[in-house]
Amino acid sequence: MPTKATVSGVMQDANLSPVVGGKVIASLVGSDFFDDGIRIVTQKVSAVTDAQGQWSMPLIVNREGDNNSTSWTVDGYDALLNPVFKITGLFIASADPITLSELEKISPQNQKAAKDEDVAFIVVVESYQEYLDLPEGQRRASDIILEPMT
């Protein structure tokens, strides 16, 4: 069973007002090598925004396969299903909770790291212990760990 990260965000309209009752749909598409061979990987997950425009959903960690060739696309729609945003090429490196904005910033670097052993993954955590608690397959010596300053 693949591990999952809780990805969250706040949907706002052009006036920076929360989008109430909006829908966020995340789609995972790609293929990857696992212990039992090549598999096509697909999944759709959706969430509805609350009164503050907040949403969250558990998404499969891309980093679990051998060549990490899957990616997430996240689409946001208002209550009338008009498109609000679309983000493509997202890569989730660890099972730690992360915001969509953080994920969008670090995904290009992490996709490159998935294909090149010499490039470090960026992992956002609340504490270093949280990073150490990740499964061994989601850590490597070259990781860059980002945690909030206290």
Side-chain angles (χ1 to χ4, degrees):
M1 182 92 168
T3 54
K4 296 184 179 182
T6 301
V7 177
S8 61
V10 176
M11 191 186 317
Q12 298 175 319
D13 63 18
N15 297 319
L16 301 181
S17 300
V19 175
V20 179
K23 191 163 191 171
V24 179
I25 301 173
S27 305
L28 175 68
V29 178
S31 62
D32 214 332
F33 292 96
F34 292 87
D35 294 335
D36 56 351
I38 298 175
R39 285 190 278 170
I40 301 297
V41 182
T42 62
Q43 184 180 32
K44 275 199 186 279
V45 181
S46 64
V48 176
T49 60
D50 65 14
Q52 289 78 39
Q54 297 176 340
W55 59 271
S56 71
M57 62 178 82
L59 301 181
I60 289 174
V61 174
N62 302 62
R63 188 172 170 179
E64 305 242 313
D66 291 336
N67 74 350
N68 306 284
S69 63
T70 59
S71 66
W72 284 100
T73 296
V74 179
D75 293 282
Y77 302 92
D78 66 15
L80 300 174
L81 297 181
N82 296 308
V84 175
F85 70 86
K86 181 179 189 107
I87 302 171
T88 60
L90 295 177
F91 185 92
I92 303 173
S94 77
D96 288 314
I98 191 167
T99 66
L100 184 61
S101 60
E102 290 170 330
L103 188 57
E104 188 177 13
K105 290 174 195 165
I106 64 176
S107 283
Q109 173 75 18
N110 284 344
Q111 282 181 326
K112 184 171 174 148
K115 294 169 180 38
D116 184 350
E117 288 288 323
D118 295 329
V119 178
F121 280 103
I122 299 172
V123 181
V124 179
V125 294
E126 288 297 315
S127 70
Y128 189 68
Q129 184 59 48
E130 186 178 26
Y131 173 74
L132 294 176
D133 292 341
L134 288 172
E136 189 175 316
Q138 292 179 22
R139 295 178 286 154
R140 75 179 180 205
S142 62
D143 287 345
I144 297 172
I145 313 306
L146 299 178
E147 59 183 293
M149 294 181 65
T150 54

